[in-house]
């Protein structure tokens, strides 16, 4: 189906993961994304992750129980130790879902997760301490999402 996309870029030497969710996303798409994340092997941890939930994301036939199961499937992912993850949400619903995810992640004390609205994308990048990659990240994200001209 055209219009669906989960972009995943992992740069091991920079300990950076960029994920962008855009368009219609199915259960199979999510399963594949989480499988790819589980295959990242970095015992030293300390990875920084930026996840963008674009304003056009629609989850098709995805149940909440699947989301919880997938999140638990990362419990033993060694790259999450001492990591920082920023989730940028393009809609109110994705923001609320991301907040729940962040609370669960922070309770596990494996990583630090913060949630930002789309107009705070630059703030999220700075929170990750990735300001040197700001323009590159913004260029990649802008291929999938209209970035507000005023971002904090």
């Amino acid at each position: 189906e055209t219009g669906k996309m989960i972009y995943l870029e992992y740069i091991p030497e920079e300990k950076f993961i960029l994920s962008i969710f855009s368009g219609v996303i199915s259960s199979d798409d999510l399963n594949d994304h989480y499988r790819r994340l589980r295959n990242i092997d970095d015992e030293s941890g300390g990875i920084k992750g930026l996840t963008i939930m674009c304003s056009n994301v629609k989850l098709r036939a995805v149940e909440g129980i699947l989301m919880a199961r997938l999140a638990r499937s990362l419990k033993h992912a060694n790259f999450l130790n001492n990591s920082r993850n920023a989730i940028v949400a393009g809609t109110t619903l994705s923001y609320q879902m991301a907040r729940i995810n962040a609370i669960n992640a922070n309770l596990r004390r494996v990583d630090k997760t913060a949630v930002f609205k789309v107009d705070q994308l630059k703030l999220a990048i700075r929170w990750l301490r990735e300001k040197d990659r700001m323009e590159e990240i913004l260029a990649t994200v802008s291929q999938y999402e209209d970035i507000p001209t005023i971002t904090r």
Side-chain angles (χ1 to χ4, degrees):
E1 181 176 330
T2 57
K4 71 177 179 181
M5 171 65 75
I6 301 180
Y7 172 91
L8 176 65
E9 178 181 12
Y10 170 49
I11 307 169
E13 61 276 5
E14 295 184 26
K15 294 187 164 288
F16 184 76
I17 299 171
L18 175 62
S19 299
I20 303 172
F21 291 73
S22 178
V24 179
I25 308 296
S26 70
S27 297
D28 289 341
D29 297 325
L30 283 174
N31 277 313
D32 182 59
H33 178 70
Y34 275 82
R35 179 192 53 74
R36 292 171 65 197
L37 287 174
R38 287 190 304 272
N39 286 335
I40 294 172
D41 187 24
D42 186 336
E43 291 182 12
S44 64
I47 287 181
K48 298 173 189 174
L50 176 60
T51 300
I52 310 293
M53 301 290 291
C54 295
S55 57
N56 68 349
V57 166
K58 297 201 179 358
L59 300 177
R60 175 157 297 147
V62 175
E63 298 177 8
I65 195 154
L66 171 67
M67 299 293 285
R69 183 178 59 78
L70 290 172
R72 281 193 310 273
S73 76
L74 291 178
K75 184 168 75 173
H76 300 293
N78 58 20
F79 72 87
L80 285 177
N81 292 324
N82 300 312
S83 66
R84 291 174 73 86
N85 298 294
I87 303 171
V88 177
T91 66
T92 301
L93 178 60
S94 64
Y95 181 81
Q96 292 167 343
M97 289 174 55
R99 291 288 305 138
I100 292 168
N101 179 42
I103 290 168
N104 289 329
N106 290 330
L107 287 175
R108 290 191 317 263
R109 292 194 172 107
V110 172
D111 57 5
K112 290 183 180 180
T113 300
V115 180
F116 302 86
K117 294 183 178 177
V118 73
D119 67 340
Q120 298 174 310
L121 177 57
K122 288 183 180 179
L123 179 62
I125 295 167
R126 285 193 300 274
W127 182 82
L128 285 171
R129 300 180 183 121
E130 288 291 325
K131 67 180 182 178
D132 292 343
R133 295 174 39 89
M134 178 87 65
E135 294 307 315
E136 177 186 345
I137 293 169
L138 292 175
T140 301
V141 172
S142 68
Q143 295 174 41
Y144 302 92
E145 177 72 290
D146 289 331
I147 300 173
T149 54
I150 303 172
T151 56
R152 293 179 244 158

